[in-house]
Amino acid sequence: MNSRTSRTQMMYTLGFLFFLISAFASFFTGVKVGADKTEAKYSQLKDHPSAQEFSGSYQQQDLVTFYHNVFLPYREFKRNWNEQVGVLARSTDARQNAATLKNLSILADKQYDKVTQDSLFTNSPMLYESQLNILKSLTLFSQASSKVTAGASGAEAAKVLKSDNFTTSAVRFGLLAQKNFYDSMLKWGSKTHPSIPQQSGELKTLSFIQWKKMPLLLKNASIANIMLNRGIYAGYDPQDITAKIDDMIYSGTASSLKLNDIQSSVTLLISTGAVQEQDFIKWREQYYGKEIMPQLPFFYE
């Protein structure tokens, strides 16, 4: 009797351990599955001959079309996401918190549909990668919002949402897409202006002396790279940080604060919340009147 009971208990224990292991594996592979579903939907385009880079790629019209059809819908989503998560963090209404999470999921799905209305940019590989990464990001944001349970504490729900594996991966894909886009602008600039490099190169500490010699497109691409590596997911764009840094340098503020490089400047600006949307527009005429940049609305609006 005791032997039979022990065997039964052992079977229950083994079954329970198997369940835990399966649940653990499912949770940590969920992010990859969610992203891979989006990539698989468009995987047949990767081997298409036109996906190879050629002389007609990275035209200004490619950048403009991408901005309106892909980047702008995602930019709107990012702004709304940050705003709604802020609202959630301040709420103590359980029903309102549940509604906010549902709306975030709906918003991600809605913007996903907007982004997929037009064909992928197979003639410009980095734009192609950017669109694919945005689709992955929106997919994971939708899944993250759907899986978090809301209670009376909006602050706790917001904390769980932001730390969720799906959310952190969604943020990274979004920032990678942003870097792809800004690298594409750099590629565009280099095609007609030899002084502009084709790529930003490896991330390294940039002194102010190096920074001052860099064209605007290279500065922006470098900042997009820093934002990716630091997980800076905000409503403002790389050029807003660029403009804020340039103003700090030329106004003498950086010197008075004893700053010596771009990375430490970014750290200070982000930690103090000093960067705002439209900072680039604020200083565009003062610092960038002779700079080469594509005719994209967020450089002129």
Side-chain angles (χ1 to χ4, degrees), residues 34-52:
D36 286 351
K37 284 182 180 179
T38 299
E39 186 163 16
K41 186 175 180 180
Y42 299 97
S43 62
Q44 71 274 14
L45 294 175
K46 282 189 171 181
D47 298 324
H48 193 282
S50 63
Q52 302 302 315

Side-chain angles (χ1 to χ4, degrees), residues 4-58:
R4 184 179 303 171
T5 301
S6 297
R7 285 198 299 271
T8 301
Q9 290 176 338
M10 181 181 296
M11 292 300 295
Y12 276 122
T13 300
L14 290 175
F16 181 68
L17 287 174
F18 178 77
F19 171 78
L20 285 179
I21 292 171
S22 298
F24 183 84
S26 297
F27 176 78
F28 284 100
T29 57
V31 171
K32 186 177 186 303
V33 171
D36 286 351
K37 284 182 180 179
T38 299
E39 186 163 16
K41 186 175 180 180
Y42 299 97
S43 62
Q44 71 274 14
L45 294 175
K46 282 189 171 181
D47 298 324
H48 193 282
S50 63
Q52 302 302 315
E53 190 174 339
F54 71 106
S55 60
S57 63
Y58 303 105

Side-chain angles (χ1 to χ4, degrees), residues 210-260:
Q210 293 172 301
W211 176 263
K212 289 179 181 179
K213 296 177 181 178
M214 294 165 61
L216 174 64
L217 294 180
L218 180 55
K219 290 179 178 179
N220 291 343
S222 298
I223 292 298
N225 198 6
I226 292 174
M227 293 177 74
L228 168 63
N229 279 274
R230 298 193 182 187
I232 302 172
Y233 194 76
Y236 47 77
D237 299 305
Q239 65 266 20
D240 294 317
I241 298 180
T242 293
K244 195 72 176 180
I245 290 174
D246 279 333
D247 185 64
M248 287 178 64
I249 293 173
Y250 293 114
S251 68
T253 302
S255 177
S256 65
L257 294 173
K258 300 187 184 305
L259 296 171
N260 298 308

Side-chain angles (χ1 to χ4, degrees), residues 19-189:
F19 171 78
L20 285 179
I21 292 171
S22 298
F24 183 84
S26 297
F27 176 78
F28 284 100
T29 57
V31 171
K32 186 177 186 303
V33 171
D36 286 351
K37 284 182 180 179
T38 299
E39 186 163 16
K41 186 175 180 180
Y42 299 97
S43 62
Q44 71 274 14
L45 294 175
K46 282 189 171 181
D47 298 324
H48 193 282
S50 63
Q52 302 302 315
E53 190 174 339
F54 71 106
S55 60
S57 63
Y58 303 105
Q59 300 294 319
Q60 177 158 257
Q61 186 56 48
D62 294 334
L63 297 175
V64 172
T65 301
F66 182 89
Y67 176 87
H68 286 290
N69 294 349
V70 180
F71 194 74
L72 186 57
Y74 188 74
R75 194 174 178 229
E76 292 171 349
F77 168 81
K78 182 172 63 171
R79 181 184 295 114
N80 286 325
W81 171 272
N82 285 322
E83 289 177 353
Q84 289 302 306
V85 171
V87 170
L88 177 64
R90 297 187 294 272
S91 174
T92 56
D93 186 328
R95 295 178 62 180
Q96 181 60 47
N97 296 341
T100 297
L101 289 169
K102 182 178 181 180
N103 289 337
L104 284 173
S105 181
I106 292 173
L107 177 62
D109 293 337
K110 179 181 177 182
Q111 299 307 91
Y112 182 101
D113 291 339
K114 286 184 178 181
V115 170
T116 58
Q117 284 180 359
D118 292 292
S119 61
L120 290 164
F121 294 78
T122 52
N123 291 339
S124 299
M126 284 187 289
L127 292 179
Y128 165 82
E129 290 296 333
S130 184
Q131 182 168 9
L132 190 57
N133 285 326
I134 282 176
L135 293 173
K136 291 178 183 180
S137 179
L138 290 170
T139 297
L140 292 169
F141 270 125
S142 176
Q143 294 176 352
S145 304
S146 299
K147 67 179 286 196
V148 173
T149 302
S153 174
E156 181 61 27
K159 180 180 178 181
V160 171
L161 178 61
K162 288 191 288 187
S163 62
D164 185 84
N165 279 5
F166 282 78
T167 302
T168 55
S169 293
V171 166
R172 179 160 183 82
F173 279 124
L175 292 172
L176 181 57
Q178 177 175 260
K179 179 181 182 299
N180 295 147
F181 187 31
Y182 280 80
D183 284 344
S184 297
M185 294 183 218
L186 194 59
K187 181 78 74 173
W188 165 82

